[in-house]
Amino acid sequence: MTTDAFLADCRARLAFDLLSNTWNAVVLWALRDGPRRPVELRERIGGISSKVLTETLRRLQFNGLVDRRPDPDAPSRVEYQLTALGRTLLAPIDAVGAWAFEHGDEVMAAQEAACTPDPRSPHPTRRA
């Protein structure tokens, strides 16, 4: 990898852009065990609206990570499944999840410390 690997128009930024949307990784992870209907995905994920789920599925489909399969017997019924390309993102998502599990408490402690006023600071809302 060159030193310019994270500059404009690079492939690394493309990958980070795909994972920077919280719901992209969550939906991909929810599809790891096989095809799901949107209702099943919403139940499995929790906390995602139908609108946001639809937008996320469309974005993932646009990027070649998810396939949309209509049911031939019920045209209004569809399932989504990971493509081979989408499956390649499961390992990086798992790695980020493992990192979060291991270091999440440290990150939350740093956030809490950053939000706690420093009594020695002349500006109580700013950390020294």
Side-chain angles (χ1 to χ4, degrees):
M1 184 181 323
T2 69
T3 57
D4 294 336
F6 297 101
L7 299 180
D9 298 330
C10 74
R11 291 180 178 164
R13 279 190 48 189
L14 171 69
F16 283 113
D17 285 346
L18 287 172
L19 293 178
S20 67
N21 179 294
T22 302
W23 294 114
N24 284 356
V26 172
V27 170
L28 290 170
W29 192 254
L31 288 169
R32 74 189 180 281
D33 295 327
R36 301 265 183 225
R37 294 181 50 226
V39 171
E40 295 170 322
L41 283 171
R42 280 193 64 217
E43 290 171 0
R44 188 165 196 182
I45 293 169
I48 189 171
S49 69
S50 294
K51 179 183 180 230
V52 171
L53 177 59
T54 299
E55 290 169 354
T56 302
L57 287 165
R58 285 181 182 157
R59 183 172 45 253
L60 293 171
Q61 186 179 9
F62 174 80
N63 285 292
L65 304 173
V66 166
D67 274 335
R68 179 182 187 271
R69 295 186 328 183
D71 185 337
D73 298 327
S76 63
R77 187 179 193 172
V78 298
E79 284 187 332
Y80 291 88
Q81 66 181 8
L82 292 176
T83 62
L85 181 61
R87 289 206 159 280
T88 65
L89 274 175
L90 293 177
I93 292 168
D94 187 43
V96 170
W99 181 89
F101 184 78
E102 185 175 339
H103 300 287
D105 290 339
E106 295 170 67
V107 172
M108 289 188 292
Q111 291 172 349
E112 186 176 318
C115 292
T116 304
D118 185 347
R120 299 169 293 159
S121 173
H123 303 284
T125 57
R126 294 187 195 155
R127 298 282 297 167

